[in-house]
Amino acid sequence: PLSPDPYVVAKAIAAKDGHVVQVTPARAANLLGLTTQVPAKTVYLTDGPSRTKYLGAMTLRMKKAAPKNLVGTGKRAGLVFQALRYVGKDGVDDLVVNRLARGLTPSDVRDLVKDSPQAPGWMRPVAQQIAQAA
């Protein structure tokens, strides 16, 4: 039997209590093709309490995070902001901008621009560059 998708399980657990979940920066960078490294532990950020759930052989950690770390939760824009956290302010270059812009729909671009004021200051101009590149 296959294990359930950990993200779906984390979303269900959080939704039951009225909370949200977001992938970690390292996982977002992997999902968006910025790195081939896959995080060894299944960790999600949440606005709810930190907790650990055991699903058979899988361990799912949900870690309480500040609202600034949950910008764009549940949207592709949220993945972009998390991936930017992974590369950091000094790691952003044209390759990163183009890779993050690839695959963004017009709706994703609108979300990115709309959510960018809530992101850290250094991410705002980068979000604009990504929106223009898309």
Side-chain angles (χ1 to χ4, degrees), residues 57-80:
M58 180 174 59
T59 302
L60 177 77
R61 285 194 59 223
M62 297 173 70
K63 185 176 174 185
K64 184 168 181 63
K68 68 179 182 177
N69 294 323
L70 299 170
V71 175
T73 299
K75 300 180 269 188
R76 185 138 177 120
L79 283 178
V80 171

Side-chain angles (χ1 to χ4, degrees), residues 4-60:
D5 180 357
Y7 184 63
V8 172
V9 173
K11 278 179 32 177
I13 292 169
K16 179 179 75 93
D17 298 329
H19 299 291
V20 296
V21 291
Q22 176 70 289
V23 299
T24 59
R27 182 72 180 137
N30 174 263
L31 290 172
L32 295 176
L34 293 180
T35 181
T36 57
Q37 295 176 345
V38 179
K41 295 184 180 184
T42 307
V43 180
Y44 293 96
L45 304 177
T46 182
D47 61 344
S50 294
R51 59 175 96 176
T52 301
K53 297 287 184 178
Y54 301 96
L55 307 164
M58 180 174 59
T59 302
L60 177 77

